[in-house]
Amino acid sequence: MQIKNNLAQIHQQIQQACGQVNRPESAVKLLAVSKTKPVQAIQQAIEAGQRAFGENYVQEGVEKIQHFAERTDLEWHFIGALQSNKTRLVAENFDWLQTLDRLKIAERLNEQRPHDKVPLNVLIQINISDEDSKSGIAPEQMLTLAKQLENLPHLRLRGLMAIPAPTEDVAQQQIALTAMQSLFQQLQNALPAQQIDTLSMGMSDDMNMAIQCGSTMVRIGTAIFGKRDYSAN
Ligand SMILES: *Cc1c(COP(=O)(O)O)cnc(C)c1O
């Protein structure tokens, strides 16, 4: 019951945030981040109508995907840091990779994506505010990588993802999220023939501002599934 109630509450928050800026609720997709959570919790979310799930750890994610293999209506997003020795499992099992930040990984995924599957959807991760973080590419490198992906037929670039440095300062949030919005527009303008339709940003603390700044996908874990317990890992 709890997970169902939590989902309903988040949908309401999304609807309100969309209403404030005259966007339809359907413009923003909810990704349920289920990392460390058991399949029973995911099952409850599915029963409440949730279909898109985000996982950070390759092996754990693959086990869950295989557990729910008969449900062809689910969508699995890899949102963790991806090392090159794990690309095959992602290419073979996931529907989306949100953390693409280098050509070498893209080339491996392109080669390893089973050719009878639809292309792997990818988002380029941008390092928007946290200069020390190793995840994501600098904004200036976005277009170069995006153009290189055009030569990889088993990947399909859908947009951008960012994890801005966490802050409760709304003005700070706005700076990073507005910068992402303008990069997203640049990308759309540079690749008009491609379906660049996904801007993945917004977590519990900055969801409202992210939706104001054009986010099309918010990623929420704890507010749906409760706190994570890492002690068993
Ligand atoms: C864990 C995670 C989330 C969700 O975080 P919560 O604080 O549990 O809502 C969102 N995005 C990414 C990339 C994550 O790793």
Side-chain angles (χ1 to χ4, degrees):
M1 263 328 260
Q2 192 60 51
I3 288 175
K4 187 177 176 192
N5 292 344
N6 291 345
L7 279 166
Q9 203 174 353
I10 291 159
H11 279 294
Q12 202 177 4
Q13 287 168 7
I14 293 174
Q15 193 185 14
Q16 273 173 9
C18 286
Q20 284 168 7
V21 287
N22 290 316
R23 301 179 64 199
E25 190 193 350
S26 59
V28 179
K29 183 167 184 157
L30 173 59
L31 183 73
V33 177
S34 45
K35 61 184 176 208
T36 81
K37 296 296 173 181
V39 292
Q40 291 82 355
I42 296 174
Q43 180 64 37
Q44 283 180 43
I46 294 170
E47 281 163 18
Q50 181 64 32
R51 296 291 178 268
F53 294 92
E55 290 283 336
N56 290 56
Y57 309 102
V58 176
Q59 196 59 46
E60 178 191 335
V62 168
E63 280 167 26
K64 290 173 182 173
I65 293 168
Q66 286 171 356
H67 178 88
F68 291 106
E70 264 146 49
R71 294 217 50 142
T72 52
D73 56 342
L74 302 183
E75 203 177 274
W76 294 94
H77 294 238
F78 189 74
I79 61 173
L82 181 57
Q83 296 160 316
S84 57
N85 61 349
K86 300 265 175 69
T87 51
R88 181 176 294 281
L89 283 170
V90 170
E92 289 179 348
N93 291 280
F94 281 83
D95 303 300
W96 290 69
L97 168 73
Q98 295 207 5
T99 51
L100 187 67
D101 62 1
R102 49 195 198 277
L103 182 62
K104 184 183 156 208
I105 294 275
E107 286 171 342
R108 289 177 67 94
L109 290 165
N110 181 62
E111 202 181 292
Q112 294 166 345
R113 180 71 169 173
H115 293 185
D116 59 340
K117 284 198 170 199
V118 295
L120 179 69
N121 295 294
V122 299
L123 302 179
I124 294 177
Q125 183 179 358
I126 306 286
N127 186 351
I128 200 64
S129 56
D130 186 2
E131 281 148 32
D132 296 337
S133 156
K134 287 193 209 87
S135 328
I137 58 166
E140 310 81 70
Q141 296 170 348
M142 171 185 79
L143 286 179
T144 306
L145 181 56
K147 296 236 162 87
Q148 287 165 330
L149 297 181
E150 287 187 298
N151 305 321
L152 305 178
H154 304 291
L155 303 186
R156 185 160 157 219
L157 179 62
R158 297 290 295 272
L160 303 177
M161 179 271 210
I163 311 173
T167 169
E168 282 171 20
D169 178 348
V170 177
Q172 280 301 114
Q173 289 179 356
Q174 192 173 14
I175 292 172
L177 296 168
T178 307
M180 283 302 299
Q181 181 173 34
S182 87
L183 283 171
F184 185 58
Q185 284 160 358
Q186 263 182 48
L187 184 63
Q188 287 177 319
N189 293 339
L191 304 172
Q194 292 187 36
Q195 187 189 358
I196 306 294
D197 57 4
T198 305
L199 179 55
S200 171
M201 62 184 192
M203 298 166 60
S204 308
D205 288 339
D206 61 353
M207 188 173 90
N208 269 316
M209 184 60 80
I211 290 173
Q212 281 183 40
C213 296
S215 166
T216 72
M217 189 182 292
V218 293
R219 308 180 306 264
I220 308 288
T222 310
I224 298 172
F225 295 110
K227 282 203 166 67
R228 285 180 290 275
D229 177 6
Y230 289 98
S231 63
N233 291 7

